[in-house]
Amino acid sequence: AQSVAQPEDQVNVAEGNPLTVKCTYSVSGNPYLFWYVQYPNRGLQFLLKYITGDNLVKGSYGFEAEFNKSQTSFHLKKPSALVSDSALYFCAVRAPGSGAGSYQLTFGKGTKLSVIP
Amino acid sequence: EAEVAQSPRYKITEKSQAVAFWCDPISGHATLYWYRQILGQGPELLVQFQDESVVDDSQLPKDRFSAERLKGVDSTLKIQPAELGDSAMYLCASGGGSYNEQFFGPGTRLTVL
């Protein structure tokens, strides 16, 4: 069974400082990894994904994530945090494969990011 | 930009009443998902459709929940009767593209009194 761990319930960072939101995963085979962001009373918005290739992937709003196979991690990063980045961030994983049954995502419990002015 | 539509956005009901949620996926997306998200937690899959067929409903409480996607396009999730523990955000997502990337709707916030 696949799983995702987001070890921090909350991350606080000052505006302008770099931010990191941590994610580790467990899955059979090479993972497909995703980050989503959720604002209050809204659905999840896709930020970025890792499927294959370069370990550093760039996504929306200046976010990037680094895939580390040996550490089974996929940490979300941004060089300079904005107050508007304050939200709930979810990491998700799925196993590779064909067929509709393989498409399911397993989500972490989320990390609340607060950017302090 | 195409989006997943959901309605209503908010629903307040009393326990033992019936509620229904509607989802219209992004055009052309064959895969549709319903998730339940309890406050402070990540989304949990309730049911997955591929076109009009159910792929996985193993986490759907079938004694009170039902879901359908009759023509393989829009979908309805029903709860009857609602219980206090059903209070949550209900999210719909549709999947498309090479890796069946999921796109989420705005969700329906259900409060059961």
Side-chain angles (χ1 to χ4, degrees):
Chain A
Q2 57 202 42
S3 65
V4 173
Q6 293 183 242
E8 302 154 319
D9 290 337
Q10 179 151 354
V11 170
N12 297 321
V13 63
E15 186 176 24
N17 282 2
L19 69 88
T20 298
V21 182
K22 295 180 181 178
C23 170
T24 59
Y25 66 89
S26 175
V27 70
S28 297
N30 295 319
Y32 294 170
L33 294 157
F34 303 82
W35 276 102
Y36 288 85
V37 60
Q38 186 178 33
Y39 297 98
N41 289 313
R42 302 294 297 276
L44 276 66
Q45 295 179 31
F46 170 79
L47 278 179
L48 52 79
K49 68 177 182 286
Y50 171 83
I51 303 298
T52 187
D54 194 348
N55 288 344
L56 185 65
V57 294
K58 296 186 182 298
S60 307
Y61 313 119
F63 284 92
E64 58 190 27
E66 186 168 12
F67 170 63
N68 187 317
K69 187 173 183 178
S70 63
Q71 297 185 4
T72 61
S73 67
F74 189 56
H75 301 330
L76 181 70
K77 300 180 180 183
K78 188 174 183 181
S80 178
L82 301 173
V83 173
S84 57
D85 293 330
S86 298
L88 196 55
Y89 290 80
F90 290 96
C91 182
V93 67
R94 61 164 273 212
S98 60
S102 70
Y103 298 159
Q104 293 177 17
L105 293 178
T106 299
F107 287 86
K109 61 178 175 56
T111 298
K112 182 179 180 181
L113 174 68
S114 293
V115 180
I116 303 161
Chain B
E1 182 175 313
E3 296 181 340
V4 176
Q6 287 189 250
S7 66
R9 292 292 311 279
Y10 303 91
K11 179 68 177 179
I12 299 174
T13 190
E14 293 184 347
K15 63 180 181 179
S16 79
Q17 296 298 304
V19 293
F21 313 133
W22 176 79
C23 172
D24 192 13
I26 292 172
S27 178
H29 280 189
T31 315
L32 185 146
Y33 308 82
W34 283 102
Y35 290 89
R36 177 169 58 187
Q37 184 183 21
I38 296 170
L39 192 64
Q41 298 182 20
E44 295 180 330
L45 181 69
L46 291 174
V47 61
Q48 176 190 352
F49 289 93
Q50 184 72 15
D51 299 309
E52 66 276 8
S53 300
V54 173
V55 174
D56 185 353
D57 64 357
S58 58
Q59 300 303 310
L60 189 71
K62 298 182 189 63
D63 57 334
R64 298 185 299 109
F65 286 63
S66 64
E68 61 183 17
R69 192 184 185 199
L70 293 176
K71 296 183 179 179
V73 181
D74 59 340
S75 176
T76 302
L77 178 70
K78 297 179 181 178
I79 308 175
Q80 182 173 17
E83 296 180 352
L84 296 178
D86 296 332
S87 294
M89 174 78 89
Y90 290 83
L91 296 165
C92 178
S94 68
S98 301
Y99 302 101
N100 204 262
E101 193 174 298
Q102 293 187 30
F103 297 89
F104 285 78
T108 297
R109 170 71 68 186
L110 173 66
T111 302
V112 182
L113 302 175

